[in-house]
Amino acid sequence: MTSMNRRAAFMGAGFATLGLVAVSSAAHAQATEKPPAAAAPAGSHPVTVVLRLSAKDPAAFKAHLMKTVPVTRVASGCRYSHSFQEPQNPTEFILIQGWDSAAQQQAYVAWRKQTGDLKLLMDFLAKPPIVETFELFDA
């Protein structure tokens, strides 16, 4: 999938490649619950998802990530979720997540879409995210 297709998938109904989202006060009760379990399909490979994000308000976005990343980390199939901020340009963030499978990551995103959190994430951003997905091939 090309970068343009990934952005289109993010902006479209599928939201297939986004892994981290923000929690709105309206969806807070739902979002703090553990995401639904999703088994990795047979024969699937682990994936790494890299999200490049530009925040309108870096301090508010960083604080928000501190609340949201713990929910991502307990999602079925999430191996890790780490957040990085560019020291020379504090509006720029990279989130790196490892998932047991693309299907589990997509199930997590579908849950976040259902809670309404994806729209809120977009409100934090100065421009659409760049989402890259890499599949493990040498294990």
Side-chain angles (χ1 to χ4, degrees):
M1 182 180 284
T2 66
S3 292
M4 183 58 108
N5 288 343
R6 278 190 217 94
R7 281 191 288 269
F10 171 77
M11 297 302 294
F15 293 91
T17 56
L18 183 69
L20 180 83
V21 295
V23 178
S24 68
S25 58
H28 182 71
Q30 293 173 339
T32 57
E33 296 173 10
K34 187 173 180 179
S44 63
H45 297 280
V47 297
T48 296
V49 179
V50 178
L51 299 99
R52 298 175 191 273
L53 307 167
S54 296
K56 293 176 186 174
D57 179 345
F61 186 59
K62 190 173 181 178
H64 201 71
L65 290 177
M66 296 299 291
K67 295 176 188 175
T68 4
V69 170
V71 176
T72 302
R73 289 179 179 150
V74 299
S76 180
C78 182
R79 294 177 173 203
Y80 56 86
S81 181
H82 301 295
S83 308
F84 301 87
Q85 185 176 23
E86 167 64 47
Q88 301 302 318
N89 185 359
T91 63
E92 299 299 313
F93 292 81
I94 292 180
L95 285 72
I96 301 175
Q97 301 175 341
W99 294 85
D100 288 340
S101 72
Q104 288 172 307
Q105 191 268 340
Q106 291 167 5
Y108 169 75
V109 171
W111 175 74
R112 287 299 202 170
K113 180 182 176 191
Q114 185 179 25
T115 65
D117 295 335
L118 290 177
K119 183 185 177 319
L120 183 59
L121 174 71
M122 295 305 293
D123 291 342
F124 271 99
L125 302 180
K127 60 185 179 183
I130 297 172
V131 182
E132 302 168 300
T133 302
F134 302 89
E135 188 174 282
L136 182 67
F137 65 88
D138 66 349

